[in-house]
């Protein structure tokens, strides 16, 4: 049997590999394919507005989770920046905004946005698993579609808790293990997961390549290196150090025959019960 320290060294080596893979994969901004499909060819103000408009229309419920108008003058951390729509919107509110991302592409894009629009936001390269900030630094932390890619969801949530001030709020979005996509694709495994759950604190349980590719693929068709799916009960357990935790599901994609039905209606009818994404509002 391997000793505790050997296991620790293996875990560290594995994490270093995951970080390197994430740094390379996410250097291509998530949203690149979408931007192409919208006819976006550059990073001009007009092109980014077009992208941001699409993003805000496609995820209209984001405004119910991120209190943009209340962030003026607050210390805000965003983790996982992608194309930078949320960075732009928060810093336009005159918040004291810092973005953190493991990959250079998203950090460069956020900095470009701030310079282009004369905003005072900052963006830093680094991992939420080892964040370059002291504890209790932020009033508000937002991480949309990021923490489940880190390779250690439990530690990522622990860091969010550590960085948040007492009385602060965090909003994180993590992919659901019990969405309509899982129920249709693998009903038996999903039923087992719903009934028994998984101990995500003890194991990472990254999804297989097929499942990862369905959610995040780059322009070469390669899947994101790591993706963990969670149930609301598992997520609540990982967030137990917070004073409050409210979890709601959202988002129905346009897969298969669903693409023939108005997405807004699908989201309204099934989003809260079978949505792809779990939005978790956490109070410390
Ligand atoms: C799917 S994108 C989401 C981007 C954006 N929030 C959005 O909604 O479009 C995931 C982002 O998380 C970042 N990321 C992955 N692992 C990370 C880590 N350990 N620390 C910080 N950022 C990370 C990626 O580089 C990428 O920009």
């Amino acid at each position: 049997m391997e000793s505790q320290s050997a296991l620790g060294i293996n875990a560290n080596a594995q994490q270093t590999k995951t970080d390197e893979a994430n740094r390379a994969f996410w250097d291509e901004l998530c949203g690149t394919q979408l931007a192409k499909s919208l006819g976006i060819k550059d990073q001009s103000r007009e092109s980014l507005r077009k992208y941001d408009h699409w993003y805000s229309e496609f995820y209209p419920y984001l405004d119910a989770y991120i209190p943009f108008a209340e962030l003026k003058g607050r210390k805000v951390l965003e983790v996982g920046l992608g194309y930078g729509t949320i960075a732009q919107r928060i810093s336009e509110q005159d918040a004291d905004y810092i973005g953190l991302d493991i990959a250079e592409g998203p950090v460069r894009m956020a900095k470009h946005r701030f310079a282009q629009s004369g905003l005072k936001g900052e963006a830093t390269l680094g991992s939420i698993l080892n964040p370059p900030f002291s504890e209790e630094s932020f009033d508000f932390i937002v991480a949309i579609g990021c923490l489940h890619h880190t390779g250690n969801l439990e530690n990522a949530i622990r860091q969010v808790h550590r960085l948040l001030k007492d009385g602060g709020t965090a909003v994180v979005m993590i992919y659901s293990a019990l969405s309509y996509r899982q129920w249709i694709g693998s009903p038996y495994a999903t039923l087992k997961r719903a009934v028994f759950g998984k101990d995500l604190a003890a194991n990472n349980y990254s999804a297989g390549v097929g499942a990862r590719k369905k959610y995040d693929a780059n322009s070469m068709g390669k899947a994101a290196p790591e993706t963990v799916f969670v149930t609301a009960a598992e997520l609540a357990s990982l967030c137990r150090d917070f004073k409050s935790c409210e979890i709601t599901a959202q988002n129905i994609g346009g897969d298969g025959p669903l693409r023939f039905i108005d997405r807004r209606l699908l989201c309204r009818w099934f989003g809260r019960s079978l949505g792809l994404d779990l939005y978790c509002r956490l109070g410390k």
Side-chain angles (χ1 to χ4, degrees):
M1 216 163 103
E2 274 184 290
S3 71
Q4 285 294 84
S5 68
L7 285 174
I9 290 166
N10 282 345
N12 285 344
Q14 181 54 45
Q15 187 61 56
T16 304
K17 263 173 83 179
T18 302
D19 289 348
E20 276 165 13
N22 270 331
R23 210 168 289 128
F25 180 85
W26 296 107
D27 192 45
E28 175 182 309
L29 304 179
C30 65
T32 296
Q33 305 280 75
L34 167 72
K36 270 189 203 149
S37 74
L38 295 174
I40 292 172
K41 295 195 176 79
D42 59 21
Q43 298 183 352
S44 65
R45 193 183 288 233
E46 195 191 21
S47 295
L48 294 180
R49 274 213 197 106
K50 189 171 177 183
Y51 181 91
D52 295 345
H53 176 73
W54 181 94
Y55 188 96
S56 302
E57 290 281 303
F58 198 77
Y59 304 112
Y61 43 76
L62 265 184
D63 285 65
Y65 295 101
I66 307 174
F68 290 102
E70 292 165 25
L71 296 177
K72 184 178 165 67
R74 314 308 301 269
K75 275 212 87 173
V76 177
L77 172 68
E78 185 187 7
V79 188
L81 313 178
Y83 229 89
T85 304
I86 296 172
Q88 175 100 31
R89 284 197 63 192
I90 294 179
S91 37
E92 279 171 357
Q93 299 300 320
D94 235 348
D96 193 354
Y97 172 97
I98 300 186
L100 175 72
D101 202 290
I102 198 162
E104 281 184 24
V107 170
R108 220 179 298 122
M109 171 58 104
K111 287 185 172 170
H112 165 73
R113 282 174 176 269
F114 302 145
Q116 185 177 60
S117 306
L119 297 165
K120 69 171 175 26
E122 282 177 44
T124 306
L125 193 64
S127 172
I128 185 59
L129 300 179
N130 189 15
F133 310 112
S134 37
E135 67 185 87
E136 309 210 346
S137 296
F138 299 97
D139 299 299
F140 186 80
I141 300 180
V142 57
I144 303 297
C146 168
L147 306 186
H148 48 231
H149 293 306
T150 58
N152 192 336
L153 179 59
E154 188 200 16
N155 184 26
I157 291 173
R158 201 181 314 122
Q159 294 300 335
V160 169
H161 182 267
R162 197 177 66 80
L163 294 176
L164 200 61
K165 291 181 189 171
D166 270 345
T169 303
V171 172
V172 304
M173 182 279 268
I174 314 283
Y175 292 151
S176 170
L178 302 179
S179 75
Y180 70 92
R181 206 175 267 171
Q182 272 80 16
W183 283 109
I184 293 170
S186 38
Y188 177 65
T190 305
L191 180 64
K192 240 173 86 184
R193 182 78 177 259
V195 174
F196 299 110
K198 273 187 175 170
D199 184 1
L200 290 163
N203 271 295
N204 193 43
Y205 291 110
S206 182
V209 67
R212 281 184 275 130
K213 206 190 269 190
K214 261 189 206 145
Y215 286 73
D216 300 278
N218 65 12
S219 52
M220 309 291 286
K222 226 179 127 197
E226 279 277 331
T227 309
V228 164
F229 294 82
V230 295
T231 70
E234 291 160 4
L235 185 54
S237 165
L238 292 177
C239 296
R240 61 191 168 273
D241 289 342
F242 288 87
K243 224 182 257 166
S244 63
C245 169
E246 284 163 47
I247 300 173
T248 39
Q250 296 283 1
N251 196 14
I252 306 287
D255 3 9
L258 294 182
R259 68 182 178 281
F260 300 115
I261 308 173
D262 182 338
R263 181 174 169 274
R264 277 185 182 248
L265 284 181
L266 286 174
C267 286
R268 203 174 315 142
W269 292 335
F270 305 115
R272 292 277 177 144
S273 48
L274 292 168
L276 296 165
D277 306 330
L278 295 177
Y279 281 83
C280 186
R281 188 186 287 111
L282 299 160
K284 179 170 171 183

